Amino acid sequence: HFSRFLAAAAVMAGLMSIPHVVRAQTLPDALKTRLQKWYRSTSRSAPGNWAIAIADQQGAMLWSVKPEQQMIPASTVKLLTTGFARTVLGSDARRSTRVVGTGHLDEATGDWAGYWALELNGDPSLENPSGEGPKLYDLAEQLAGQGIRRLRGPMQVVSADGPADAKYPAAWSPANWGSIYAPLIGPMTIHENVVWLTIRPGSRAGARAIVEGTSPSGLDALVTVHATTTSGFRSRLNLTRMADGGYLINGRIGVHAFSRRLISVMSDPKAVVASTWARALSQAGIQWDRTPVTQAATTESSRVLAEINSAPFDTLATEINRRSLNIGAELLLEWAAGRERGPQLLTEHVQQVTGIADGAHLVDGSGLSQMDRVAPATFISYLAHFPGTPAGRNFPMLLPANGVGTLARLNSGLAAPGVVHAKTGTLANASTLVGYLGRKDGVLLISLMYNGGRTHSARRAQWTLFRLLGADGVTIPADSTESATDSDQLGGETVTK
């Protein structure tokens, strides 16, 4: 992967040295005056540290506030992770999940005589909550189609890229571990490493509440219900993760209440994989005898017995950015760079694309860490240059459009859908917004970065600025952005605080 990355970077450097002539973009004086007014008002409503850059589509600065200052970027890091992973992997790459094994099928009994294992490789869409990703049942059905009717032995899980495990990134604060937005990360990924449990009341007051369904399916054996049914409509249910990978539900649910969905991260993804795999095998008509068996020594190499694949990279990346899915971004980075050097290679990629040596320091792929730093000018240079690289074709289209996903609240005040393609970032002390905005005279590149305690006010102000700049905007078409050249200057009007 890394050799492909270096080769692409060399081609990119050649492209960036080719001069070209483009029509200059400007901001009318009246609009600059309104920007100054917006900044004065915003500084009062959201006091803190602001760094802002607005540039033309070649990266020439048109208006800015401390554009070189490094800031906590939050989830806007995903924009950079998407570009890096696409450079290494390609837009059509797919992540595979397999059953591998050695041995043979006993056609008389339908037994698989030999070793078998699930190969999990960190597909962020495997058994995803939307139900649209690949499923373990698809693997089981392929085995059944070959005549396999019985598997023997405990489930073994392997990975093509190292240990088949999942852990919290070292750069993430332990205070975030186990939050819905911060699950375990690694090849051992299923259903985004969260579980959904749907609970309904029993038939009468005093009866035990009932597990109506689980997602992924087949988790009933992992769920212990101590919650009881009470009279009325009110409910108060508590979900506790157990050390053995199971879940305990306490509390009460009204006999006339609607079903309640409880969501939790997984404490032991392997236990969930085993339960989901057992259900998939059963549905495919395959018996699974988990009794340990002694396997005869063999020099035979494992072969693929069944395989399912994710959607192409661009589809995965678009969904990850739309939902700002932390586990998805981290898995893209691991897919492209491995588990140890991902943040380092991501930082080097940003340096190579932008030509800025000290404009970014990244320690994860999702932006959840407080230790990430990126300057607005670095984002601007990346937005300008990356679409002109071999991997950058239609790059803005991988980011949410106004009115979609995390940009849903940017639905009004703009001329049409697709005027904006951008990525938001939010932490307790950071609110950022980076991306492209279409105007009649060209595409603007915008990086709005706020670090402070008034993130909600800062986000409202950021929406206001995008509406101000895009009130008469136009939809950004595919292939509308061009790479900047070495002769472009990051100059323009700067506001000092």
Side-chain angles (χ1 to χ4, degrees):
H1 289 336
F2 188 46
S3 61
R4 289 181 57 191
F5 166 57
L6 291 177
V11 174
M12 175 190 68
L15 288 177
M16 290 171 59
S17 66
I18 300 173
H20 64 281
V21 179
V22 296
R23 182 178 64 179
Q25 292 171 252
T26 60
L27 294 180
D29 290 340
L31 182 54
K32 290 181 179 179
T33 299
R34 296 181 69 185
L35 289 173
Q36 296 274 11
K37 182 179 179 180
W38 169 86
Y39 182 68
R40 288 194 297 270
S41 174
T42 296
S43 298
R44 293 190 297 269
S45 64
N49 193 9
W50 282 91
I52 301 169
I54 300 173
D56 69 16
Q57 65 190 54
Q58 281 71 51
M61 208 70 76
L62 302 175
W63 191 85
S64 62
V65 177
K66 298 184 290 187
E68 307 294 338
Q69 179 167 307
Q70 291 198 10
M71 304 282 282
I72 300 172
S75 281
T76 49
V77 168
K78 293 182 178 69
L79 178 156
L80 306 173
T81 300
T82 298
F84 169 64
R86 200 187 201 207
T87 299
V88 176
L89 301 169
S91 60
D92 295 325
R94 296 174 186 265
R95 204 59 162 153
S96 297
T97 302
R98 305 181 176 100
V99 179
V100 296
T102 59
H104 66 279
L105 171 65
D106 185 331
E107 296 184 359
T109 63
D111 283 10
W112 175 256
Y115 160 82
W116 65 273
L118 282 178
E119 181 187 290
L120 301 184
N121 295 308
D123 176 2
S125 66
L126 179 63
E127 296 276 356
N128 69 357
S130 72
E132 297 177 356
K135 302 181 187 306
L136 294 184
Y137 172 74
D138 300 326
L139 285 177
E141 193 174 39
Q142 290 180 35
L143 296 179
Q146 300 171 42
I148 295 175
R149 295 292 176 265
R150 184 180 293 107
L151 292 178
R152 298 183 185 274
M155 181 186 72
Q156 304 294 324
V157 183
V158 299
S159 176
D161 301 322
D165 59 1
K167 58 186 179 180
Y168 296 112
W172 285 5
S173 168
N176 292 324
W177 293 358
S179 302
I180 295 300
Y181 55 83
L184 293 162
I185 308 294
M188 185 80 70
T189 293
I190 184 172
H191 201 263
E192 299 172 4
N193 283 351
V194 299
V195 297
W196 294 0
L197 306 176
T198 304
I199 309 301
R200 64 177 175 84
S203 59
R204 56 181 176 77
R208 189 67 55 90
I210 297 171
V211 178
E212 187 175 65
T214 72
S215 183
S217 63
L219 306 187
D220 305 71
L222 296 180
V223 182
T224 301
V225 179
H226 287 171
T228 57
T229 306
T230 59
S231 60
F233 294 86
R234 295 185 178 181
S235 302
R236 188 180 183 88
L237 297 171
N238 300 308
L239 176 60
T240 303
R241 297 191 302 274
M242 308 302 289
D244 62 359
Y247 302 89
L248 174 64
I249 299 174
N250 284 307
R252 55 185 173 78
I253 182 169
V255 68
H256 299 300
F258 291 110
S259 298
R260 296 288 192 268
R261 174 180 288 172
L262 306 178
I263 301 177
S264 174
V265 298
M266 298 178 190
S267 57
D268 183 359
K270 186 174 182 180
V272 175
V273 170
S275 292
T276 305
W277 180 234
R279 174 64 63 87
L281 290 172
S282 176
Q283 290 176 332
I286 299 175
Q287 296 179 1
W288 179 17
D289 180 354
R290 305 192 199 193
T291 304
V293 295
T294 301
Q295 301 287 350
T298 178
T299 58
E300 180 185 355
S301 298
S302 292
R303 67 181 189 274
V304 176
L305 305 179
E307 180 174 358
I308 52 178
N309 293 289
S310 71
F313 174 88
D314 277 6
T315 301
L316 295 178
T318 299
E319 179 67 7
I320 289 167
N321 285 323
R322 183 185 72 83
R323 296 173 52 205
S324 201
L325 188 63
N326 290 329
I327 185 174
E330 297 295 344
L331 290 175
L332 291 186
L333 184 58
E334 289 189 5
W335 186 7
R339 301 189 71 172
E340 301 302 325
R341 300 185 62 211
Q344 175 189 340
L345 296 180
L346 174 59
T347 300
E348 291 174 2
H349 164 79
V350 174
Q351 293 170 344
Q352 291 171 341
V353 171
T354 63
I356 302 173
D358 58 353
H361 173 69
L362 302 170
V363 298
D364 68 3
S366 61
L368 185 58
S369 174
Q370 294 278 348
M371 295 184 288
D372 288 312
R373 293 292 185 274
V374 183
T378 300
F379 271 123
I380 291 297
S381 184
Y382 193 88
L383 294 175
H385 287 84
F386 186 71
T389 70
R393 180 179 175 84
N394 288 331
F395 177 66
M397 302 299 120
L398 301 183
L399 308 178
N402 51 293
V404 173
T406 56
L407 266 62
R409 293 189 179 183
L410 197 55
N411 194 32
S412 61
L414 297 175
V419 169
V420 174
H421 282 271
K423 185 72 194 74
T424 59
T426 306
L427 291 173
N429 61 342
S431 177
T432 56
L433 182 56
V434 176
Y436 303 89
L437 188 151
R439 288 169 57 91
K440 294 177 182 178
D441 60 346
V443 177
L444 291 182
L445 315 179
I446 303 175
S447 178
L448 308 179
M449 306 189 74
Y450 169 79
N451 291 172
R454 300 291 294 275
T455 55
H456 294 294
S457 297
R459 175 68 76 226
R460 287 194 296 268
Q462 290 163 351
W463 293 148
T464 297
L465 186 139
F466 264 72
R467 292 179 180 119
L468 172 65
L469 294 172
D472 60 348
V474 297
T475 299
I476 300 174
D479 288 327
S480 61
T481 53
E482 302 177 58
S483 62
T485 69
D486 293 344
S487 62
D488 291 327
Q489 301 296 318
L490 292 177
E493 180 175 339
T494 299
V495 176
T496 57
K497 188 175 178 181

